[in-house]
Amino acid sequence: MRTQRNYDTQRYELNNDLILEKNIDQLVPIEAWGLPKPLVKYYHDKGICKLFPWQVKALCQPGVLSASRNLVYSAPTSAGKSMVADMLMYKTFFEKKKKVIIILPFVSITHEKVDSLKKVLQFTGITMECFAGSLNPPGGFSRADAAVCTIEKANNMINR
């Protein structure tokens, strides 16, 4: 005999391996993710008040937030892929208190991402540095909370 599933509510793994039953709609508002108020305000001021349901489902895959498991996802251009990566980064900063390395393929994209994230994080105390092309900030990764770097710079940073 098959058991009937309730597709409106699913099990999602959240902070500290705590399994909670939540309706996806409850996790759609950005406030539901426990981000610092200045960060939530920044997004609200930009007109971004909630995540798409697919973003919530991606973030809530088992182990992604709590056990540092990998997440591979794809979506069309301008569908919100960067927001998923940004949310993972924020959770790493503010909950796990760990540093982050963001690896991008081109120097120009790396500079754009750093400029964008510095605006977003300006009120949080998080320091963001760019490691791309000829840029090597003084003190290296040890003086930053996050490094946005090209593949080559990340390789050098990790394999020293």
Side-chain angles (χ1 to χ4, degrees):
M1 181 175 150
R2 290 183 114 172
T3 57
Q4 188 173 9
R5 289 190 140 192
N6 179 355
Y7 289 102
D8 292 334
T9 304
Q10 298 179 10
R11 293 179 69 82
Y12 293 103
E13 188 167 346
L14 297 174
N15 306 333
N16 302 321
D17 292 325
L18 178 64
I19 306 294
L20 299 174
E21 288 215 2
K22 287 240 179 193
N23 188 312
I24 289 174
D25 293 340
Q26 292 175 316
L27 293 172
V28 167
I30 288 182
E31 296 86 356
W33 291 87
L35 301 176
K37 289 181 182 178
L39 193 54
V40 172
K41 182 182 180 329
Y42 176 86
Y43 280 111
H44 279 236
D45 291 348
K46 295 288 183 186
I48 303 169
C49 300
K50 45 187 173 170
L51 300 175
F52 294 119
W54 78 263
Q55 292 169 316
V56 173
K57 288 178 186 178
L59 289 165
C60 291
Q61 292 299 305
V64 169
L65 291 172
S66 61
S68 299
R69 293 222 173 118
N70 294 326
L71 174 64
V72 177
Y73 57 101
S74 70
T77 301
S78 297
K81 295 182 293 290
S82 293
M83 187 61 165
V84 173
D86 290 350
M87 290 295 286
L88 289 171
M89 177 184 63
Y90 301 148
K91 298 300 258 180
T92 301
F93 287 145
F94 301 118
E95 290 179 10
K96 295 180 182 181
K97 308 290 188 215
K98 291 186 177 184
K99 293 182 177 224
V100 173
I101 298 175
I102 301 166
I103 304 169
L104 297 168
F106 306 113
V107 173
S108 60
I109 296 172
T110 303
H111 288 289
E112 287 177 23
K113 187 66 174 177
V114 167
D115 292 342
S116 169
L117 286 173
K118 280 185 175 182
K119 288 177 190 168
V120 174
L121 296 169
Q122 66 184 331
F123 302 110
T124 63
I126 299 295
T127 57
M128 181 83 45
E129 294 292 347
C130 183
F131 296 80
S134 61
L135 281 179
N136 285 310
F141 189 42
S142 63
R143 300 220 26 220
D145 296 310
V148 181
C149 43
T150 55
I151 297 164
E152 297 81 13
K153 292 285 186 170
N155 185 44
N156 291 339
M157 192 181 299
I158 292 167
N159 291 315
R160 272 195 232 184

